[in-house]
Amino acid sequence: MQEDKKAIRYIIVDDEEGAINDLRWELKDLKFPLQEVAVFSDPVEAVSRINETAFDLLFLDISMPVIDGFGLIERLEQIDFNIVFTTAYDQYAIKAFRHNAIDYLLKPVSENELCRVLEKHVANRLTRNMKEQLESFREIFEHTGDKLKIYVKDEYLYIPFADIIRLEAKSNYTTIYTIPQQYLVSYPLKEYEQQLPEEMFIKVHRSHIVNINAIKGIGNSISKYIVMNNDDKVPVSRSKYSTLKQSIETIR
């Protein structure tokens, strides 16, 4: 079949299969002529392939393992395409970018927002001053305050870090425990791990992150668990136990 030269050729880079499927589902029924060039769940692999591929638009996740979205961009040899970041951060933090060629989509992606960024892309096929805009975007992204943003029941909530007791992975979902309630969110634990301040939160187990200031007690070297302020018992991995015990004794 002959390639449609007017089609918007796009690449998706996102380490979450669910997010990729959501975006592809929304793209397939849009009025715009679109051509999927490639999809990558590994950002490292994406770098080499993007450098040797011609396309128009990159849908790029920000929070990814090994290298994040910004790190990926910095490794590219040249940028002659537009970038749409996909992010869990809300529009108030980055609203200044609505008038720039760099844009963003909030997860979960909506049809209306997709149409908006595609219309902008059609109006301006080539982003100018890409490096300057990336630096500004990075600065805003990295200074989003002392709250964790979560998406629950069609709305965004902002939870102060100090109010969070712990986070627990449950398949591709995460339960966030606060006093007096808990929230089940449809993002994996690693999505939040990168947003939590290291000086306050520690990953004690592959499925558990805790607020070190909310630890009430710690079990012995055989039982290997901690007790939180809400009386929850959280398992501690063998490799983390000694370091955690030392950290608790230091701050007590």
Side-chain angles (χ1 to χ4, degrees):
M1 185 170 64
Q2 188 173 8
E3 181 179 307
D4 183 354
K5 294 184 178 179
K6 293 183 180 180
I8 300 172
R9 299 164 297 170
Y10 67 88
I11 287 177
I12 300 173
V13 181
D14 197 310
D15 66 312
E16 295 178 30
E17 184 179 350
I20 291 173
N21 291 338
D22 287 346
L23 181 54
R24 292 171 104 178
W25 175 264
E26 294 294 346
L27 285 167
K28 71 181 183 66
D29 291 327
L30 296 184
K31 62 182 179 181
F32 298 87
L34 298 165
Q35 179 190 342
E36 183 180 289
V37 176
V39 173
F40 301 101
S41 57
D42 179 354
V44 177
E45 178 190 2
V47 171
S48 59
R49 294 286 300 278
I50 287 173
N51 279 328
E52 58 189 33
T53 304
F55 65 103
D56 306 303
L57 188 60
L58 175 63
F59 292 103
L60 178 61
D61 186 21
I62 293 177
S63 298
M64 296 183 290
V66 186
I67 57 173
D68 62 14
F70 297 116
L72 184 149
I73 292 298
E74 290 169 357
R75 287 166 172 76
L76 297 180
E77 295 172 2
Q78 64 178 19
I79 301 172
D80 53 2
F81 48 83
N82 280 330
I83 299 171
V84 176
F85 285 112
T86 55
T87 173
Y89 284 82
D90 97 313
Q91 65 267 35
Y92 301 109
I94 49 179
K95 62 183 179 182
F97 287 86
R98 283 206 181 277
H99 64 278
N100 290 332
I102 285 183
D103 218 310
Y104 68 97
L105 290 169
L106 287 173
K107 296 178 180 180
V109 175
S110 74
E111 180 180 335
N112 289 340
E113 284 296 283
L114 260 179
C115 287
R116 180 182 63 78
V117 297
L118 289 172
E119 285 169 358
K120 179 184 285 188
H121 170 78
V122 171
N124 181 7
R125 285 262 176 172
L126 184 61
T127 299
R128 298 178 181 178
N129 302 320
M130 179 69 72
K131 293 296 184 183
E132 290 85 349
Q133 291 182 40
L134 278 170
E135 285 306 312
S136 298
F137 192 95
R138 182 201 293 271
E139 183 177 347
I140 291 175
F141 177 80
E142 292 178 347
H143 295 84
T144 53
D146 58 353
K147 296 180 178 66
L148 182 70
K149 187 200 70 99
I150 64 174
Y151 187 74
V152 180
K153 295 180 179 178
D154 298 324
E155 67 176 346
Y156 290 97
L157 301 177
Y158 299 85
I159 305 175
F161 292 136
D163 291 351
I164 299 173
I165 298 171
R166 67 186 186 92
L167 300 89
E168 180 179 354
K170 296 182 178 179
S171 186
N172 286 325
Y173 292 81
T174 301
T175 301
I176 300 170
Y177 295 84
T178 69
I179 295 178
Q181 64 187 107
Q182 63 190 54
Y183 306 92
L184 179 65
V185 290
S186 57
Y187 288 97
L189 186 63
K190 64 182 177 181
E191 184 77 23
Y192 299 104
E193 183 178 358
Q194 300 177 50
Q195 300 176 38
L196 297 168
E198 293 180 1
E199 67 276 9
M200 186 180 295
F201 291 88
I202 182 168
K203 192 170 188 179
V204 297
H205 185 276
R206 64 182 180 181
S207 300
H208 298 275
I209 296 175
V210 302
N211 184 338
I212 196 168
N213 298 312
I215 297 174
K216 184 165 69 173
I218 184 167
N220 58 37
S221 58
I222 298 174
S223 56
K224 290 187 177 64
Y225 66 83
I226 51 177
V227 181
M228 309 304 295
N229 284 345
N230 62 349
D231 293 326
D232 284 352
K233 284 188 177 181
V234 179
V236 179
S237 66
R238 181 179 302 177
S239 61
K240 295 282 187 179
Y241 178 81
S242 297
T243 303
L244 178 62
K245 189 172 185 293
Q246 223 171 24
S247 299
I248 293 173
E249 290 172 349
T250 300
I251 64 174
R252 289 295 187 264

